[in-house]
Amino acid sequence: MDVWKAAAERRRTHGDVLSLAAGQPSTPAPRPVLAATRSALDTELLGYTETFGIPELRTAIARYHATRYDVEVDADDVVVTTGSSGAFTLLFLAAFDAGDTVVVTRPGYPAYRNTLAALGCAVVELECGADTRFQPTVDMLEALPEPPAGLIVASPANPTGTVIDAAELAALARWCDEHGTLLVSDEIYHGIEFGEQRTSSAWETSRDAVVIGSVSKYFSMTGWRLGWMLAPPRLRRPLQRLASNMTVCPPAISQHAAVAAFTDASRAELSGHVARYAVNRGLLLKGLPDLGFADLAPADGAFYVYADIGGLTDDSSAWCARLLHETGVALAPGIDFDPVRGHRTVRLSFAGATADVEEAIARLRSLPARNRGRN
């Protein structure tokens, strides 16, 4: 958020910002979604809905999962929420008590850690590096003093973009089932995948796991604030009680519009976005090593490249601030994703226009080597 604020100020004063910091698509919602929105404004009351979402949307989400992963999913399994952020907060409150141990990965999405800590959970970070493709393993769980109450995994992951191998995800799910650990599988970047590393779902192995989804990333609808869970029956009543008190229901207009996100017409449009991401990804993977961005994480999916810049700086926050000041290029410092080693890493988003990615690389290349170096 600090980077976004600084970039907005730079845009106001200079008008030259190229943001590779934002973790969101640069495209609007699919055209069928926009058409459905206009229709809903004319035909729907847009008052409160059922707490878990309108039946049409829950059915569409269930069908999406059933078709994509060849698993049996019913509309009753689907809990629609106010963004995936809302899903995590509701789930953590429903599933964990203050003092419970919940395991997350490092580097990882900071909101897991911050939200759990705010709710009084004991957060244990597993340090994940290149040797495990920045993802957790069963061996890491076996090395813990005792089984945790929960394990959160993300595939593709933010900030690394790495995907958990299908066999490893299945092994993690089985271990969690055997040890009474709730597996929370963050699958919001599914659909944005590259190469042969394909995503799988935790529900292919365990119906005791919770799957988190969202229209934000692949569906290009971040500001619509709509997410969902696939939740086992034992959690649905506490989730319903919490949600009805905290939010009443997800945004009605977003729900009616999002039904159209799962149509063939929308999916065809979204596939074009993924093709562009693939081009942008290739540009960064080719151009960054020559600029001092070393040891790139395998960018299997999502729209991020996570890079070691230890050869350039030991203070990624200050380095990114200087880069924005000197070039107008905004990157996300790694310290938010990894409080221990993030001082020497950055995350670059390639969700924008290809021309912007090309220009960002050109600006970095035009910097004198001394200006790219250590603070």
Side-chain angles (χ1 to χ4, degrees):
M1 293 300 103
D2 289 342
V3 172
W4 284 11
K5 181 179 179 181
E9 177 63 16
R10 170 83 185 200
R11 184 176 289 110
R12 186 185 69 80
T13 58
H14 291 69
D16 65 346
V17 170
L18 295 173
S19 180
L20 275 64
Q24 65 174 349
S26 58
T27 46
R31 285 185 291 274
V33 171
L34 299 179
T37 305
R38 298 183 186 100
S39 176
L41 288 170
D42 292 332
T43 62
E44 300 292 341
L45 175 63
L46 300 179
Y48 295 137
T49 72
E50 296 177 44
T51 297
F52 279 178
I54 61 174
E56 302 93 324
L57 179 57
R58 297 174 75 190
T59 298
I61 293 170
R63 187 181 301 118
Y64 165 75
H65 282 275
T67 301
R68 180 178 173 89
Y69 306 105
D70 193 24
V71 294
E72 185 177 340
V73 182
D74 187 82
D76 287 341
D77 298 321
V78 179
V79 177
V80 182
T81 59
T82 306
S84 61
S85 298
F88 282 113
T89 301
L90 288 173
L91 177 60
F92 295 165
L93 283 167
F96 306 131
D97 291 322
D100 279 352
T101 297
V102 182
V103 172
V104 300
T105 62
R106 192 180 72 241
Y109 181 51
Y112 305 148
R113 174 191 348 115
N114 296 337
T115 304
L116 287 164
L119 296 177
C121 292
V123 181
V124 172
E125 296 181 325
L126 297 178
E127 184 173 336
C128 300
D131 57 328
T132 63
R133 298 175 61 82
F134 297 91
Q135 293 286 2
T137 65
V138 169
D139 287 343
M140 292 180 187
L141 298 178
E142 290 284 2
L144 296 172
E146 58 183 13
L151 167 67
I152 304 174
V153 299
S155 174
N158 179 10
T160 61
T162 59
V163 168
I164 301 176
D165 177 77
E168 189 65 47
L169 180 60
L172 288 168
R174 288 191 295 269
W175 189 95
C176 287
D177 284 353
E178 293 166 2
H179 292 82
T181 298
L182 177 65
L183 174 62
V184 181
S185 182
D186 184 346
E187 302 179 5
I188 70 170
Y189 288 98
H190 279 210
I192 309 175
E193 303 142 28
F194 313 102
E196 298 180 359
Q197 195 74 18
R198 311 306 297 173
T199 53
S200 58
S201 176
W203 263 35
E204 294 177 59
T205 301
S206 172
R207 302 293 290 237
D208 289 327
V210 175
V211 167
I212 305 293
S214 169
V215 297
S216 287
K217 307 301 183 177
Y218 168 71
F219 294 95
S220 195
M221 296 172 63
T222 53
W224 298 69
R225 306 317 302 136
L226 201 70
W228 67 84
M229 288 180 260
L230 303 184
R234 66 182 178 84
L235 288 173
R236 292 175 197 165
R237 185 58 175 161
L239 286 168
Q240 194 276 336
R241 289 177 170 179
L242 286 163
S244 63
N245 279 277
M246 296 177 69
T247 59
V248 180
C249 66
I253 185 66
S254 298
Q255 292 188 63
H256 286 283
V259 175
F262 297 92
T263 62
D264 290 342
S266 288
R267 299 290 296 281
E269 187 174 333
L270 296 168
S271 294
H273 299 339
V274 176
R276 173 170 49 83
Y277 300 154
V279 172
N280 295 351
R281 169 183 178 268
L283 290 170
L284 289 177
L285 294 181
K286 180 180 179 181
L288 289 177
D290 291 340
L291 298 173
F293 293 69
D295 299 326
L296 307 179
D300 302 321
F303 32 61
Y304 306 119
V305 172
Y306 193 63
D308 189 321
I309 57 168
L312 301 175
T313 184
D314 56 8
D315 185 343
S316 60
S317 295
W319 188 87
C320 286
R322 182 161 61 89
L323 183 71
L324 178 62
H325 174 73
E326 294 184 5
T327 70
V329 176
L331 308 182
I335 194 67
D336 215 22
F337 308 104
D338 185 343
V340 177
R341 300 182 184 277
H343 60 282
R344 57 178 293 143
T345 61
V346 294
R347 188 196 73 179
L348 302 92
S349 170
F350 50 83
T354 298
D356 287 348
V357 174
E358 291 174 329
E359 174 62 17
I361 294 173
R363 290 188 193 180
L364 290 170
R365 187 174 290 118
S366 68
L367 269 178
R370 66 179 182 276
N371 288 4
R372 280 192 239 126
R374 292 188 167 273
N375 298 300

